Amino acid sequence: MTAQMTTPMTTVRHIKTDKVAELATATWSNCLVIGNEIALSGMTAHPASRNSVLSTYEQTLVVLGKVRNLVEAAGGTLGSIYKLVIYVKDIADKDEVGRARRDFFTAPYPCSTLVEVSGLVFPELTVEIDAFARLDIDLQQAVS
């Protein structure tokens, strides 16, 4: 009989904050912390986008604010965010997204991918962002 080696399970924390709604009926989690990794669902400007007409620049700032709020609730900082995947309905909005990123982050900026898509979950949405973060990094401490 051989002894089996087992790897201990990594603790997973489900992060919630009053600053970013997570409906009880949702079939996803907005934010999970797995070890040092912060996993975030794609964020949009909804419901703010339903309450008023927001430009892509304004929607991007709302989304980045939600990302920051979740990362901070998980114990991280803005510098913990190392990668963004940005989905836009119109690639012509790339300059507005870039302006929002410059207004929100400081150098060195998170890595990023920008993709044009045919649609998002609600018709008024123009941008959705996936963010990747870690508790054990701070981009503001990056060396050249």
Side-chain angles (χ1 to χ4, degrees):
M1 181 193 251
T2 57
Q4 274 190 304
M5 299 290 289
T6 58
T7 304
M9 296 286 287
T10 300
T11 301
V12 177
R13 294 186 294 131
H14 183 190
I15 304 302
K16 294 183 180 184
T17 175
D18 292 340
K19 295 178 181 179
V20 181
E22 184 170 308
L23 301 175
T25 57
T27 57
W28 67 90
S29 299
N30 281 340
C31 182
L32 298 174
V33 176
I34 306 158
N36 283 320
E37 189 72 22
I38 303 171
L40 300 166
S41 288
M43 293 285 129
T44 68
H46 181 80
S49 59
R50 286 270 163 105
N51 300 331
S52 62
V53 177
L54 299 176
S55 68
T56 297
Y57 170 80
E58 292 166 324
Q59 285 191 33
T60 303
L61 289 177
V62 168
V63 173
L64 292 174
K66 288 170 125 179
V67 168
R68 178 186 55 217
N69 288 333
L70 287 165
V71 168
E72 288 176 351
T77 67
L78 201 56
S80 301
I81 302 165
Y82 66 87
K83 169 98 173 146
L84 301 173
V85 178
I86 303 170
Y87 307 93
V88 292
K89 282 184 18 182
D90 185 348
I91 201 67
D93 288 339
K94 66 181 175 43
D95 292 336
E96 290 303 292
V97 170
R99 180 168 66 104
R101 286 172 42 93
R102 282 188 304 278
D103 290 347
F104 195 83
F105 293 103
T106 58
Y109 299 101
C111 297
S112 184
T113 300
L114 180 70
V115 180
E116 182 181 46
V117 295
S118 62
L120 296 168
V121 68
F122 298 117
E124 79 277 4
L125 295 174
T126 60
V127 63
E128 181 167 341
I129 300 177
D130 286 337
F132 301 84
R134 291 188 57 88
L135 291 171
D136 57 349
I137 65 168
D138 182 353
L139 287 185
Q140 299 312 302
Q141 303 301 316
V143 293
S144 297

